């Protein structure tokens, strides 16, 4: 089925990580987030992909080119981001007559769930979550063996159920004419209103997804990497010193170097051009990005280091995300646990929110540099290109204009 992938959003809840790249291009294991969406769609039976691009569109175009995994790719420009129905409206000229699927490009899906969605068309993907109030909650009725969707209640304060809309739709051909929906209360043209119309016209099956992850907030980028790094098989191809030890599902790409005395515990991927060690300890679901450096006596646990990030000497990085070309001065230490064991809180869009994680460290925008012996408190977010001085303790996230 022809499949539209929504990849135009700015990802404001991911700031500062999305200050210079669109959210769908955030790194997850061996590729950007949206490439996992596209790969799952193609494996599930997508015949062609229409990528809706907008914010930092060139990055997405360069990633995919004209074909992906053997299917043609075309691009639709959504010039101003006016909602998901507006995004699909931008894709409409690229669609052939017939049914079509739409997938949020900032979520991870598994292939069998998408295959079930395509098979059940018209259908919407559903998933059970602990906190439905931040999603659209599906209203359903039971019809025989199937749950049939009757509509979506967006972000309800008092959710009627824990079954949410996973942002994956298989629409009938007629829905191509139903994309002009009025603005919602948040001032957007919403695909869920299109779904409402489809539900009035046909039985829309709510297809339960086995696995799904919305990647909207920084700790969900860690969760995405935990998923995809955990799914990879061991492959040690790069230059690994005989006195280094790679335990479990470790991937060392061609062109990566792991020096003497290093211990790597999978699931971990060390990308091409990266160097680790000597005498470093890398563990948990950790992604060491292209050309990144993890130096002597550095411990990195359950973290994402984007391209060119450097943690050179005597540092600890736990449950953290370091943007492109971040540089940690010697002895920089990240706290990732509170003494009271409560879930770590962090800043998302100028609000302090719970990450739902007992362990969560720091989020550093691209180009951050820390002075020697900097200590970063759990949940601290440092803006793009910001600096800390020698010996500085950052207890709270500085105000950001990003
Ligand atoms: C959108 C949909 C919502 C759905 C969510 C899934 O919300 O409107 O129904 O549950 O995607 O990620 P948005 O992310 O635009 O707030």
């Amino acid at each position: 089925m022809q499949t539209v992938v929504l990849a135009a959003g700015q990802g404001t809840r991911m700031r500062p990580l999305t200050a210079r790249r669109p959210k769908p291009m955030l790194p997850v294991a061996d590729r950007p987030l949206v490439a996992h969406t596209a790969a799952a769609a193609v494996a599930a039976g997508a015949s062609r992909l229409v990528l809706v691009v907008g914010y930092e569109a060139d990055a997405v175009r360069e990633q995919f080119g004209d074909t992906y995994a053997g299917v043609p790719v075309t691009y639709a420009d959504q010039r101003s981001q006016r909602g998901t129905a507006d995004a699909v409206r931008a894709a409409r000229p690229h669609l052939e007559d017939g049914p079509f699927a739409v997938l949020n490009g900032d979520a991870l899906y598994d292939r069998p769930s998408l295959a079930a969605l395509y098979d059940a068309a018209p259908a919407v993907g559903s998933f059970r979550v602990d906190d439905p109030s931040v999603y659209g909650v599906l209203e359903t009725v039971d019809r025989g063996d199937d749950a049939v969707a009757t509509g979506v209640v967006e972000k309800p304060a008092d959710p009627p159920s824990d079954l949410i809309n996973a942002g994956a739709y298989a629409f009938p051909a007629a829905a191509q004419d139903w994309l002009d929906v009025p603005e919602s209360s948040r001032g957007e043209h919403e695909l869920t209103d299109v779904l409402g119309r489809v539900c009035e016209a046909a039985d829309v099956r709510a297809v339960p997804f086995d696995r799904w992850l919305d990647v909207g907030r920084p700790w969900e980028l860690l969760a995405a990497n935990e998923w995809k790094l955990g799914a990879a098989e061991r492959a040690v191809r790069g230059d690994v010193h005989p006195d280094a030890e790679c335990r479990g599902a470790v991937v060392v790409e061609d062109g990566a170097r792991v020096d003497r005395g290093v211990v790597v515990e999978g699931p971990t991927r060390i990308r091409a051009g990266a160097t680790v060690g000597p005498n470093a300890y890398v563990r948990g679901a950790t992604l060491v990005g292209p050309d990144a450096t993890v130096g002597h006596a550095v411990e990195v646990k359950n973290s994402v280091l984007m391209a060119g990030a450097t943690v050179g000497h005597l540092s600890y990085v736990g449950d953290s995300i370091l943007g492109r070309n971040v540089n940690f001065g010697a002895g920089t230490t990240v706290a990732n646990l509170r003494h009271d064991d409560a879930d770590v809180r962090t800043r998302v869009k100028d609000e302090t929110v719970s990450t739902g994680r007992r362990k969560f460290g720091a989020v550093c925008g691209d180009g951050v540099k820390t002075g020697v012996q900097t200590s970063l408190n759990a949940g601290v977010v440092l803006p793009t290109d910001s600096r800390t001085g020698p010996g500085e303790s950052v207890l709270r996230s500085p105000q950001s204009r990003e």
Side-chain angles (χ1 to χ4, degrees), residues 36 39-45 108-118 209-211 227-228:
H36 290 281
V42 173
L108 289 181
Y109 309 87
D110 66 333
R111 187 203 59 79
S113 296
L114 288 186
L117 177 85
Y118 288 164
F209 280 4
D210 293 332
R211 204 161 179 195
W227 174 346
K228 292 298 171 183

Side-chain angles (χ1 to χ4, degrees), residues 14 217-224 226 321 346-348 353-357 360 363:
M14 272 287 181
R217 296 160 298 179
W219 60 92
E220 288 159 346
L221 184 63
L222 292 184
E226 286 158 16
I321 304 167
T346 192
R347 298 288 285 174
V348 172
V353 298
S354 172
T355 61
R357 285 181 170 242
F360 187 68
V363 176

Side-chain angles (χ1 to χ4, degrees), residues 46 69 71 102 107 174 177 266 329 343 379:
V71 307
V102 180
D177 297 326
D343 289 344

Side-chain angles (χ1 to χ4, degrees), residues 104-365:
N104 283 355
D106 51 8
L108 289 181
Y109 309 87
D110 66 333
R111 187 203 59 79
S113 296
L114 288 186
L117 177 85
Y118 288 164
D119 279 351
V124 57
S126 65
F127 194 70
R128 292 199 187 275
V129 297
D130 292 337
D131 180 12
S133 64
V134 295
Y135 297 105
V137 175
L138 281 181
E139 297 173 306
T140 58
V141 292
D142 286 333
R143 216 154 285 157
D145 289 342
D146 293 328
V148 168
T150 53
V152 179
V153 199
E154 281 297 329
K155 327 281 156 43
D158 190 11
S161 81
D162 61 357
L163 190 69
I164 62 118
N165 163 27
Y169 315 84
F171 285 129
Q176 292 193 30
D177 297 326
W178 300 341
L179 298 170
D180 299 302
V181 287
E183 263 185 24
S184 66
S185 53
R186 65 171 174 177
E188 294 187 6
H189 303 274
E190 314 260 3
L191 206 51
T192 42
D193 289 331
V194 177
L195 178 69
R197 286 195 190 174
V198 178
C199 290
E200 282 167 26
D203 275 359
V204 174
R205 265 178 281 174
V207 174
F209 280 4
D210 293 332
R211 204 161 179 195
W212 177 79
L213 179 69
D214 181 43
V215 188
R217 296 160 298 179
W219 60 92
E220 288 159 346
L221 184 63
L222 292 184
N225 276 282
E226 286 158 16
W227 174 346
K228 292 298 171 183
L229 292 169
E233 295 199 351
R234 180 182 170 91
V236 178
R237 297 200 194 88
D239 173 11
V240 178
H241 194 283
D243 292 339
E245 211 181 316
C246 295
R247 303 177 185 153
V250 174
V251 179
V252 181
E253 294 184 3
D254 265 333
R257 203 167 132 249
V258 176
D259 210 340
R260 179 190 288 270
V262 170
V263 174
V264 186
E265 282 170 5
T268 286
R269 175 176 283 266
I270 300 169
R271 302 223 49 195
T275 60
V276 178
N279 306 321
Y281 184 24
V282 180
R283 64 192 172 103
T286 289
L287 175 64
V288 180
D291 305 315
T293 304
V294 175
H296 168 67
V298 169
E299 179 174 352
V300 183
K301 179 228 151 193
N302 209 72
S303 294
V304 171
L305 273 55
M306 294 194 198
T310 296
V311 185
H313 340 255
L314 304 156
S315 291
Y316 175 69
V317 179
D319 304 277
S320 297
I321 304 167
L322 274 53
R324 179 182 276 269
N325 295 334
V326 164
N327 192 298
F328 271 14
T332 295
T333 306
V334 174
N336 62 341
L337 179 70
R338 293 165 52 119
H339 284 316
D340 63 4
D341 256 0
D343 289 344
V344 174
R345 296 167 71 75
T346 192
R347 298 288 285 174
V348 172
K349 269 189 145 179
D350 288 332
E351 258 184 80
T352 301
V353 298
S354 172
T355 61
R357 285 181 170 242
R358 228 179 110 247
K359 300 270 184 83
F360 187 68
V363 176
C364 299

